[in-house]
């Protein structure tokens, strides 16, 4: 709805990076410091870690740090 000009949304920057770069969305309150949120990944074992789970972990680490 925001892209259609119908309002404002509070969404993590990493979700809308492309839309901001293209100019479809504008950042409001860019100097506002967001609240830190911890993220935990829980999986059965590293010993038999599937490639899909490993890829997802790598993705999150690259996107979020």
């Amino acid at each position: 709805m925001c892209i259609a000009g119908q309002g404002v949304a509070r969404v993590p920057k990493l979700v809308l990076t492309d839309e901001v770069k293209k100019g479809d969305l504008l950042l409001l309150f860019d100097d506002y410091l967001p609240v830190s949120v911890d993220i935990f990944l829980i999986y059965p074992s590293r010993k038999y870690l599937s490639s899909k789970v490993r890829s997802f972990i790598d993705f999150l680490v690259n996107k979020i740090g």
Side-chain angles (χ1 to χ4, degrees):
M1 292 198 59
C2 289
I3 292 174
Q6 299 298 316
V8 177
R10 183 174 179 196
V11 182
K13 285 183 183 179
L14 69 99
V15 174
L16 300 174
T17 303
D18 294 336
E19 287 79 2
V20 172
K21 284 181 183 176
K22 289 189 294 187
D24 292 338
L25 292 176
L26 298 174
L27 293 177
L28 301 176
F29 309 112
D30 196 32
D31 58 341
Y32 177 76
L33 295 175
V35 176
S36 166
V37 177
D38 293 328
I39 297 175
F40 299 91
L41 298 174
I42 301 171
Y43 46 90
S45 170
R46 287 185 186 204
K47 188 173 182 180
Y48 302 108
L49 193 63
S50 76
S51 60
K52 289 180 184 180
V53 173
R54 180 77 254 163
S55 294
F56 181 66
I57 293 169
D58 293 341
F59 169 78
L60 286 179
V61 169
N62 287 332
K63 281 291 192 180
I64 298 172

